[in-house]
Amino acid sequence: LIKPIYSEKLKICIEKFQERQQRWNKDFNRQNLVNLQVEELVDNHINKSSYPRKIFVNMIGSIRVINLEEVIYFDASGSYTKINLQSGEVVLCSETIKTYADSLEKHPDFIRIHRSHIINKQFVSTILRKTNGTSIRMFNNDELPVAQQRKSEIVKSITH
């Protein structure tokens, strides 16, 4: 920007600065996310754990680290996923539920009970058998449907 300052040129200059700032923030967040994930992988390797203990949620301007032991269940919401926590907080993230299903596939505490729900078996309070199907009531009193075609496998997994 050179004198004399014209309002249109000032506006363009500010917009360019804001775009560069946003790109830098995205790159910074991406690098922080990668660093946190590498630390988690190294920690898992050292502790001989074959499944993740934390998830990383990219938020605006930050990365949220969530311990999986605090997660009651994951709830699909279109191309987003709601993560319901023990504290009562619900974290909305831009990952699909398939992403979480893939990463938690071998985790002993998590099971996909429906195309829209992955639950933490530690927070199951009741298995409800109804005339119109089976559902599961979680620790926080939320009731979630169980996929009919996998009902027996899911109930067996939860009760053992």
Side-chain angles (χ1 to χ4, degrees):
L1 193 61
I2 302 171
K3 289 183 184 179
I5 298 173
Y6 299 102
S7 61
E8 187 59 34
K9 286 189 176 187
L10 177 60
K11 180 182 173 190
I12 292 169
C13 183
I14 290 172
E15 287 171 355
K16 282 183 180 179
F17 172 78
Q18 288 173 330
E19 285 174 18
R20 286 185 185 142
Q21 190 72 18
Q22 284 177 339
R23 268 188 266 131
W24 183 85
N25 284 340
K26 278 184 182 177
D27 290 342
F28 180 76
N29 284 339
R30 196 174 299 122
Q31 187 58 46
N32 278 345
L33 179 62
V34 168
N35 290 342
L36 287 169
Q37 289 172 331
V38 167
E39 286 174 23
E40 176 71 4
L41 285 171
V42 169
D43 191 39
N44 283 347
H45 179 72
I46 290 169
N47 294 323
K48 305 292 187 228
S49 178
S50 60
Y51 52 87
R53 293 178 320 209
K54 298 175 184 174
I55 54 173
F56 305 92
V57 180
N58 210 353
M59 312 287 279
I60 297 172
S62 66
I63 297 168
R64 173 90 182 261
V65 180
I66 299 174
N67 290 322
L68 283 171
E69 61 194 26
E70 299 173 19
V71 175
I72 298 174
Y73 67 94
F74 296 86
D75 181 21
S77 182
S79 59
Y80 294 90
T81 302
K82 294 177 187 173
I83 304 171
N84 294 267
L85 302 177
Q86 187 176 11
S87 65
E89 182 182 5
V90 177
V91 178
L92 182 66
C93 61
S94 60
E95 298 290 339
T96 64
I97 198 157
K98 183 183 181 330
T99 302
Y100 294 107
D102 291 346
S103 66
L104 296 171
E105 185 177 19
K106 294 182 180 173
H107 199 293
D109 291 340
F110 288 87
I111 184 168
R112 190 165 190 172
I113 62 165
H114 189 270
R115 63 181 172 81
S116 299
H117 304 290
I118 301 169
I119 63 165
N120 184 336
K121 295 188 281 186
Q122 303 301 317
F123 290 104
V124 171
S125 66
T126 313
I127 298 172
L128 304 164
R129 292 188 177 105
K130 300 178 178 182
T131 55
N132 61 343
T134 302
S135 61
I136 293 176
R137 182 170 294 132
M138 302 304 291
F139 169 78
N140 62 353
N141 285 325
D142 288 352
E143 194 173 315
L144 307 172
V146 173
Q148 286 304 108
Q149 62 272 23
R150 293 187 51 226
K151 179 179 74 172
S152 60
E153 171 192 341
I154 291 167
V155 170
K156 184 179 178 183
S157 172
I158 291 170
T159 57
H160 288 93

